Amino acid sequence: FPSHDMARGLCKWAKSAQELNKDQADFCLDWANQVRSKLSDEDAIWLDWDAVAVLRRMENYENASQVLSSVLKLKKSEFWVWAEAARIYQFDQKDLALACFCKAMLCKTEEKFLVTAHFDFAKLLISLEMFDEASFEINQSIKIRNENQWKLPDELNRLTQNSWFDPDKKELKLAKEFYEEHASDALS
C-alpha cells in the first residue's frame, strides 16, 4: 500500500525537519488523514503515531491527544505511548500529564528506554514544584546515562545545579509508590 508508506514518510520528515511551517505540516497531515480513512485502527497505528508527533510539534495538542487515543487503545502496556501522552498534556493538563508519566514508569521495559521519559518527567515535576520527585527522576536519568556511557545533556547538568536538587534521592521503592498513587488518574 504505497500511499501508506508515503504518508508515514511525510510525517517522519515533518517530525524531524529542521524548519517546518504550517502549510508543510498540514500537507503531511492531510495525506495521512486520507490514507488513514482507508485503514483499520490496527493497520493505522504507526501512521497515527507519526501524525501525533507532527501535531505535537505544531502545538496542536487537542488533535494530537485525539489521534493518540487510538494508539493508546492498542498499546496501553507500552511506556512510550504513555510518555507521549504526558508530553502532550503537560502544557494544559499537568495533573493528567503527571498521571501519564507515572503510568509510563510502571510499564515493563528495559530501564535504558526510559532515560528520556525520566528527564521529561523531571521537568514536569519541577514545574509542579515537586522537587523531591524531580530529583529522583534526574538521578535516574543520570544513572541510566552513566551505566550506558551516554553523554549527559547540558540541560540535565544545569538541573543538578539548582538549590532544591538532592543527589541522594534515589529510593526506587518510594518512587514506585508515587507512580502507583498517581498512575490511576491516567486515561485508560
Side-chain angles (χ1 to χ4, degrees):
F1 196 60
S3 59
H4 173 266
D5 294 343
M6 178 66 88
R8 282 206 67 200
L10 284 167
C11 285
K12 285 180 177 182
W13 169 80
K15 187 166 68 171
S16 59
Q18 200 69 36
E19 292 179 28
L20 179 70
N21 66 41
K22 187 179 180 333
D23 289 341
Q24 292 168 323
D26 288 345
F27 177 80
C28 296
L29 292 167
D30 286 346
W31 193 294
N33 286 334
Q34 286 176 28
V35 171
R36 174 69 174 91
S37 66
K38 300 177 187 116
L39 301 173
S40 69
D41 281 353
E42 195 77 33
D43 291 335
I45 188 167
W46 300 115
L47 179 57
D48 287 346
W49 179 246
D50 293 332
V52 165
V54 177
L55 289 163
R56 180 164 64 94
R57 180 161 183 199
M58 298 311 294
E59 299 178 5
N60 187 340
Y61 305 118
E62 192 174 325
N63 284 345
S65 69
Q66 286 173 354
V67 176
L68 185 65
S69 68
S70 65
V71 180
L72 253 175
K73 281 183 203 135
L74 296 168
K75 297 288 183 182
K76 59 176 152 249
S77 64
E78 302 284 346
F79 84 90
W80 47 265
V81 76
W82 289 108
E84 183 64 19
R87 291 180 188 110
I88 289 167
Y89 294 122
Q90 69 186 342
F91 299 100
D92 57 352
Q93 298 179 60
K94 288 186 188 291
D95 290 346
L96 185 53
L98 175 97
C100 290
F101 269 127
C102 287
K103 196 100 166 174
M105 296 305 169
L106 291 171
C107 291
K108 294 204 180 326
T109 190
E110 284 185 59
E111 188 65 34
K112 68 182 179 184
F113 297 131
L114 293 169
V115 68
T116 304
H118 282 296
F119 184 36
D120 291 345
F121 192 17
K123 292 185 276 188
L124 174 69
L125 290 164
I126 291 164
S127 75
L128 294 168
E129 298 184 6
M130 300 174 87
F131 299 121
D132 286 349
E133 293 82 359
S135 293
F136 175 82
E137 299 302 328
I138 291 166
N139 287 326
Q140 282 299 101
S141 191
I142 291 170
K143 177 180 155 256
I144 294 166
R145 287 173 183 286
N146 288 341
E147 285 171 356
N148 290 281
Q149 298 172 335
W150 296 336
K151 187 178 177 292
L152 293 183
D154 293 338
E155 187 182 4
L156 185 57
N157 275 323
R158 275 195 300 277
L159 291 178
T160 66
Q161 307 305 310
N162 286 293
S163 58
W164 51 259
F165 176 71
D166 183 349
D168 298 323
K169 288 282 178 210
K170 296 179 180 174
E171 182 60 51
L172 189 60
K173 187 173 165 289
L174 290 177
K176 282 230 186 317
E177 289 169 9
F178 177 79
Y179 300 155
E180 285 164 4
E181 179 186 336
H182 294 282
S184 60
D185 297 333
L187 323 148
S188 48

